[in-house]
Amino acid sequence: MTDMGGDQIEEAVASCAALLRSAAGRDWDGVRAGRLEWSCRRTVEHVASDLIAYAGQLAGRATTAYVPFDITVDEGTGNAGIVDVIETTGALLAAAVRTTPREVRAFHPYPFRSANREGFAAMGVAEVLLHTHDIAEGLGLPYEPPGELCARVLTTIFPHVRPEPDAPWSTLLWATGRGDLPGREPITEWRWNNNLVIGTERLTLQGVTPAAAADLHAGGTGGFEWIEGGPFEGTRFAAGMVVSAYEKGAHRPEWGMFALVRREDGLAVGGIGFHGVPDEEGRAEVGYDLAENARGRGYATEALIALAETALARDDVKLLVATIEQENAPSQRVIARAGFTRASEDVEKSARELHDLEESLRLYTREA
């Protein structure tokens, strides 16, 4: 698996620069950029500002707000000069992404107040692709970026959007209110969605994107560095559930899968997450899995407590449930230490009737 990174930023900037240079002799100030209120010239300057801002967030390790700076283009700079600025700021973001450790997160407001290097790379690529489209539309020029680039943007920061088979560019335009897709209502408001991270004393629970989940399910690493023997089979199975939900448009990152990453060395030791969004009664099911070499150290308990407390603090969650094999005593001890209790026989019977609970499984619950 190749992370969204510097190469993708450079690819997006190159496609943008090629289009802009082909129209450098045109009037950019007097032409509106597609559906935007900005002129084409103002839109180009905005892209450069975003690229340098994202680079600054990563380089400065900003954690609570945007680094308070911006760029100013010299007075009298022509269209060709502003393309130079786009290429330069794109190179700076690519360099920042390449030199930032994977575990570093910096402030970005949407939606969980931070993003990692892959998130900033995806946001930078999205800014370039979408605003190049706006400019091209204003100038009456054809523009379509590489489909794989669009698909990676979608799986990284639009994980809640159902992909359209063989049409990632059209899907990205629709998801940002710039186009139509058959059978889907127009989008009027949108935001991208960086992955959620939940911290504990020894771990970070890092939200797994659909792209990472697909790689894990196929036998890869998902972009994580794993402890020897990981990931375990349950993690790969759960990753497949994420992929299936994404393809159906039912994936919601906060109700998906998280990799358990040790703070001390950055190694992933397991996976944890939900089987889907809460039902109408506020019931959500959790599951977890550790690599064999990470067991017996309390990681699963620590992660489950953090995940449960985060979920139960929400208004739409009333009950968390987990199912465990009758013979799996270690997992039963984990679930008990995390505040779950064994359901009564009547509740288990009801779960078998309503939720197809297998006879070999025991049901545990924790209420809000």
Side-chain angles (χ1 to χ4, degrees):
M1 171 184 169
T2 300
D3 288 344
M4 174 68 81
D7 291 350
Q8 287 72 32
I9 295 168
E10 290 173 347
E11 184 179 11
V13 169
S15 75
C16 170
L19 180 130
L20 295 178
R21 291 199 187 282
S22 73
R26 302 272 296 273
D27 174 19
W28 292 2
D29 279 313
V31 179
R32 183 171 163 176
R35 306 181 187 188
L36 303 181
E37 297 295 329
W38 298 334
S39 70
C40 289
R41 170 73 179 214
R42 173 70 184 87
T43 304
V44 175
E45 293 176 350
H46 168 78
V47 172
S49 179
D50 275 344
L51 292 174
I52 194 64
Y54 293 160
Q57 292 301 98
L58 286 175
R61 308 291 197 264
T63 58
T64 59
Y66 285 116
V67 178
F69 80 105
D70 203 347
I71 60 171
T72 302
V73 178
D74 289 344
E75 186 175 350
T77 299
N79 291 343
I82 194 65
V83 179
D84 291 340
V85 176
I86 288 282
E87 292 176 322
T88 301
T89 54
L92 289 172
L93 177 56
V97 167
R98 288 183 174 125
T99 56
T100 298
R102 192 188 189 284
E103 299 307 307
V104 168
R105 298 187 71 84
F107 173 82
H108 190 277
Y110 305 136
F112 304 118
R113 311 296 288 178
S114 71
N116 62 9
R117 67 186 185 190
E118 189 174 9
F120 278 105
M123 290 187 289
V125 170
E127 292 282 357
V128 172
L129 300 186
L130 294 169
H131 287 314
T132 302
H133 162 80
D134 298 331
I135 295 163
E137 191 172 57
L139 296 174
L141 300 173
Y143 175 70
E144 182 168 349
E148 176 61 24
L149 201 56
C150 303
R152 291 308 301 273
V153 170
L154 287 167
T155 57
T156 304
I157 55 174
F158 290 91
H160 51 293
V161 172
R162 175 169 59 88
E164 189 71 22
D166 303 318
W169 179 227
S170 297
T171 304
L172 183 57
L173 292 176
W174 171 81
T176 57
R178 289 172 166 84
D180 299 319
L181 281 178
R184 303 200 199 186
E185 293 294 323
I187 293 290
T188 57
E189 294 184 1
W190 61 273
R191 286 180 178 173
W192 42 52
N193 199 316
N194 282 291
N195 69 324
L196 172 62
V197 170
I198 302 170
T200 73
E201 181 181 356
R202 297 180 296 166
L203 305 168
T204 54
L205 283 59
Q206 301 184 16
V208 175
T209 67
D215 187 63
L216 277 169
H217 186 56
T221 66
F224 298 94
E225 185 177 353
W226 287 85
I227 190 173
E228 185 178 356
F232 204 62
E233 57 188 26
T235 297
R236 296 200 186 280
F237 178 80
M241 295 174 62
V242 171
V243 174
S244 178
Y246 173 66
E247 291 174 347
K248 297 174 183 176
H251 176 57
R252 299 295 177 266
E254 61 270 42
W255 300 110
M257 174 183 171
F258 299 81
L260 309 185
V261 180
R262 285 198 307 217
R263 292 184 184 273
E264 65 180 75
D265 55 14
L267 294 181
V269 298
I272 194 169
F274 300 94
H275 290 199
V277 300
D279 62 20
E280 294 179 354
E281 298 177 350
R283 176 184 184 274
E285 184 173 356
V286 299
Y288 48 89
D289 183 60
L290 287 181
E292 288 185 348
N293 289 337
R295 295 175 184 174
R297 306 179 192 180
Y299 293 140
T301 300
E302 186 174 325
L304 182 56
I305 290 172
L307 187 70
E309 290 179 350
T310 299
L312 292 172
R314 297 172 56 109
D315 293 336
D316 55 348
V317 180
K318 306 301 181 186
L319 180 71
L320 295 181
V321 303
T323 57
I324 300 174
E325 290 286 346
Q326 182 178 0
E327 305 301 325
N328 191 344
S331 189
Q332 292 169 17
R333 289 193 290 270
V334 167
I335 206 77
R337 288 194 293 265
F340 287 70
T341 57
R342 171 78 185 275
S344 67
E345 291 184 3
D346 288 342
V347 172
E348 280 190 349
K349 180 180 178 181
S350 177
R352 290 191 174 90
E353 295 173 350
L354 298 176
H355 303 288
D356 298 323
L357 180 67
E358 296 179 10
E359 288 290 338
S360 63
L361 296 177
R362 295 296 176 260
L363 182 68
Y364 291 81
T365 65
R366 178 173 168 176
E367 296 183 359

